[in-house]
Amino acid sequence: MSHAKVVTRFAPSPTGFLHIGGARTALFNYYFAKHNDGEFRLRIEDTDKKRSTAEATQAILNGMNWLGIHHDNDIVYQSQNEARHKEIAATLIETGHAYLCYLSPEEQAEERQKSRDEGRAFRSPYRNTDMPAKDDTPSVVRFRVPDGETILDDKVQGQVKWNNKDFDDLILLRADGSPVYMLAVIVDDHDMGVTHVIRGDDHLVNGGRQKLIYQALGWDVPEFAHIPLIFGPDGKKLSKRHGALGVDAYENMGYIPAGLRNYLTRLGWANKDMEVFTDEQVSNVFSLSGINKSPARLDFDKMAFINGQHMAMCDTEDLLKYAHRFLEDKNEGPLEAIQIEQLKNALPHITGRAKTLIELADQLFFIIRPRPVPLTGKTKKSLKPDAEPRLRDLHFLLSAIEQDQWNTGYISDQLDTYTQKEEIGFGKIGPPLRACLTGGAPSPDLALVLELLGKDEALGRIRDCLDIFYNKNTE
Ligand code: GLU
């Protein structure tokens, strides 16, 4: 291969959202280029004008941007290269590798049936050079498949062999002169200097056909790596219900980009026991030989685990930005600056336990929850009548702590001293106190909760509980 520099590309057709399978294909191309100090290009394959939409292109770009897969150079829009595609079709005709085919739709259907009956691929009678051309009749340009066999040394699938007899004389230009994907993809890959084509294995046979066209043009054939599809957790083809969604759906489920990048990369690629890794770590070692030949299954527990690890590694400010919208949902309105400040203080103490941003928001929300904090049914049970005098004692004890001593260590000592003096276990004060302070949300150590809430807020919440809950009880 004469290319010095590795160039990969992601070439989605803009007919829908950025599907997670597509996102993984993009990631493999991205890391492979990074690993080789190469270029990762993006090409929007919009030759099918009926199915391609500007919204779908935007959705793909948004998805890649959110996921943090950044392409090099400008985006290539395949439709803008039409003139070049036609020029190459003309070259193929001149060199005898393609021909004009004048079959009417009915004749074509007949020929197709004949080829089926004879157990061979489609051939048009116009491939024979002695067939006369027909003026004033629309023609398509077809590739003249040569005799022989085609071997692809696929980097993932291994060696694959086809008899060329099994390949149709495929259309390169339609009757209206527009190029088809099979031609456009080759011309664009060649012109962009693509050295490695890494894509879904639903294109494996196309790889064989495309190799023939490369050879007809005398062009370098890129390396091919056809990667297996992603299956659902049940081992079946991905369905909507089982994760066949756009990356935006995963964003809404509370995954962060670094977590999803790691999980998708790990899905179908392995390097020793690497499980949780940064972009740099994976770029350092990424190779096509690490890609699994068999389909990978989505595993949501693992996705959450890996995401949680990345959330724990994430910078507080960034994590809060990611979690912002989920906290606003819970808050049923925008967050105020002071609430954001409180959350920032609390966040480092919570993250290790949350696996998604939704869990994180659930665990953080008690910090900014407006008073009175509603109690969950289960939590109410921990507020037994005998807890009331304890809560009154604690309110008294905590009120006496000076502002400058309102910290986890000091508060914890005070609580210990109280339980020792009263000769009770912590179980007598922990659950009711937590109920008052958090309403029952999962939360860290109580002394830390008290510190994070601040003295006034914490005492206010205990008072609310005493007022609301016990007054009701005694009515
Ligand atoms: N546009 C094609 C698709 O979305 C990809 C073609 C390719 O990667 O060669 O399936």
Side-chain angles (χ1 to χ4, degrees):
M1 174 128 313
S2 60
H3 300 286
K5 187 187 208 177
V6 165
V7 179
T8 63
R9 58 32 168 210
F10 176 49
S13 304
T15 54
F17 43 57
L18 177 63
H19 179 273
I20 54 153
R24 190 190 58 163
T25 301
L27 280 168
F28 284 179
N29 278 285
Y30 174 72
Y31 289 128
F32 185 70
K34 291 271 160 293
H35 179 69
N36 290 289
D37 289 325
E39 272 178 21
F40 166 66
R41 307 287 311 269
L42 175 63
R43 183 174 68 235
I44 302 292
E45 304 218 308
D46 53 353
T47 40
D48 186 343
K49 292 179 189 111
K50 275 190 233 103
R51 295 181 61 223
S52 306
T53 65
E55 294 76 48
T57 300
Q58 199 50 51
I60 290 167
L61 297 181
N62 292 347
M64 288 183 67
N65 194 34
W66 175 77
L67 199 52
I69 317 177
H70 305 296
H71 58 86
D72 297 309
N73 301 322
D74 292 342
I75 302 173
V76 171
Y77 290 89
Q78 188 154 66
S79 59
Q80 291 176 4
N81 297 338
E82 223 180 278
R84 171 82 175 139
H85 303 148
K86 289 180 181 168
E87 176 194 324
I88 296 302
T91 306
L92 285 167
I93 296 174
E94 268 165 42
T95 54
H97 294 290
Y99 59 93
L100 294 174
C101 167
Y102 299 90
L103 291 179
S104 66
E106 298 75 40
E107 287 168 336
Q108 180 173 314
E110 259 172 48
E111 287 296 334
R112 195 162 283 287
Q113 192 51 49
K114 211 158 91 189
S115 61
R116 262 191 223 117
D117 294 345
E118 291 172 16
R120 56 163 173 83
F122 178 85
R123 297 279 181 270
S124 161
Y126 288 94
R127 77 184 332 261
N128 303 319
T129 42
D130 51 5
M131 275 293 275
K134 279 190 186 170
D135 291 339
D136 304 329
T137 304
S139 63
V140 299
V141 177
R142 282 189 189 278
F143 185 61
R144 183 177 275 122
V145 172
D147 293 341
E149 56 178 28
T150 299
I151 296 172
L152 209 64
D153 280 312
D154 191 272
K155 293 287 173 213
V156 174
Q157 308 289 335
Q159 192 176 84
V160 196
K161 213 187 271 187
W162 295 272
N163 194 320
N164 294 353
K165 276 201 296 234
D166 298 328
F167 288 145
D168 287 343
D169 272 5
L170 56 93
I171 293 179
L172 301 175
L173 292 186
R174 300 184 187 92
D176 64 2
S178 63
V180 302
Y181 155 74
M182 282 297 249
L183 173 66
V185 72
I186 293 164
V187 176
D188 289 352
D189 278 343
H190 172 77
D191 289 356
M192 289 162 75
V194 170
T195 57
H196 292 76
V197 172
I198 306 165
R199 61 186 175 189
D201 67 6
D202 45 339
H203 284 288
L204 180 62
V205 183
N206 286 342
R209 293 178 170 137
Q210 289 166 4
K211 182 172 180 179
L212 283 174
I213 306 178
Y214 275 102
Q215 287 169 336
L217 287 161
W219 288 348
D220 282 341
V221 182
E223 300 286 356
F224 286 98
H226 286 98
I227 59 182
L229 300 178
I230 301 175
F231 281 8
D234 53 0
K236 299 205 181 101
K237 206 167 171 270
L238 262 192
S239 64
K240 270 240 160 74
R241 206 158 59 88
H242 284 135
L245 302 165
V247 291
D248 57 324
Y250 290 84
E251 178 182 2
N252 295 336
M253 285 185 242
Y255 293 99
I256 64 170
L260 195 57
R261 282 201 299 278
N262 183 157
Y263 176 71
L264 288 179
T265 305
R266 185 63 193 82
L267 187 63
W269 173 86
N271 181 63
K272 300 193 188 114
D273 56 358
M274 270 174 82
E275 205 65 70
V276 177
F277 39 73
T278 62
D279 292 316
E280 199 186 340
Q281 287 166 332
V282 65
S283 298
N284 282 341
V285 296
F286 192 87
S287 73
L288 300 177
S289 59
I291 297 176
N292 254 323
K293 220 172 139 171
S294 46
R297 277 187 195 204
L298 269 190
D299 174 345
F300 284 99
D301 288 341
K302 193 160 165 191
M303 193 186 293
F305 167 76
I306 290 181
N307 193 65
Q309 300 288 308
H310 279 273
M311 282 172 55
M313 291 192 268
C314 199
D315 173 80
T316 302
E317 301 247 338
D318 289 344
L319 195 52
L320 204 52
K321 270 190 215 133
Y322 290 134
H324 197 103
R325 51 174 283 212
F326 297 102
L327 286 157
E328 281 195 340
D329 285 351
K330 292 192 78 78
N331 200 39
E332 292 175 10
L335 301 180
E336 288 164 26
I338 173 128
Q339 291 179 303
I340 295 178
E341 210 43 49
Q342 289 170 309
L343 290 165
K344 217 181 273 177
N345 287 335
L347 192 55
H349 304 287
I350 311 275
T351 50
R353 299 144 43 103
K355 294 197 192 76
T356 65
L357 294 168
I358 291 178
E359 280 179 26
L360 180 67
D362 283 346
Q363 292 172 16
L364 266 182
F365 185 55
F366 78 88
I367 294 283
I368 54 164
R369 184 155 217 172
R371 285 174 53 198
V373 171
L375 302 181
T376 63
K378 210 173 98 210
T379 311
K380 270 188 197 152
K381 286 207 190 103
S382 62
L383 286 177
K384 300 214 167 68
D386 69 342
E388 187 192 353
R390 298 285 169 213
L391 286 172
R392 291 199 189 282
D393 283 356
L394 290 171
H395 187 272
F396 182 73
L397 176 144
L398 293 168
S399 310
I401 299 178
E402 299 289 338
Q403 279 290 2
D404 61 2
Q405 286 180 314
W406 191 263
N407 60 59
T408 307
Y410 190 79
I411 297 169
S412 180
D413 287 348
Q414 294 298 302
L415 296 178
D416 285 348
T417 310
Y418 175 77
T419 50
Q420 278 159 20
K421 194 178 87 209
E422 297 287 310
E423 297 182 342
I424 53 171
F426 200 78
K428 285 278 180 222
I429 62 165
L433 192 53
R434 192 178 294 279
C436 301
L437 297 174
T438 73
S443 51
D445 174 69
L446 268 181
L448 176 62
V449 168
L450 285 159
E451 180 188 327
L452 293 172
L453 286 173
K455 184 175 170 182
D456 290 349
E457 179 69 22
L459 290 176
R461 289 188 186 193
I462 298 173
R463 263 196 322 274
D464 288 346
C465 241
L466 286 167
D467 289 353
I468 300 169
F469 188 73
Y470 290 105
N471 285 348
K472 266 196 200 139
N473 258 5
T474 49
E475 266 164 16

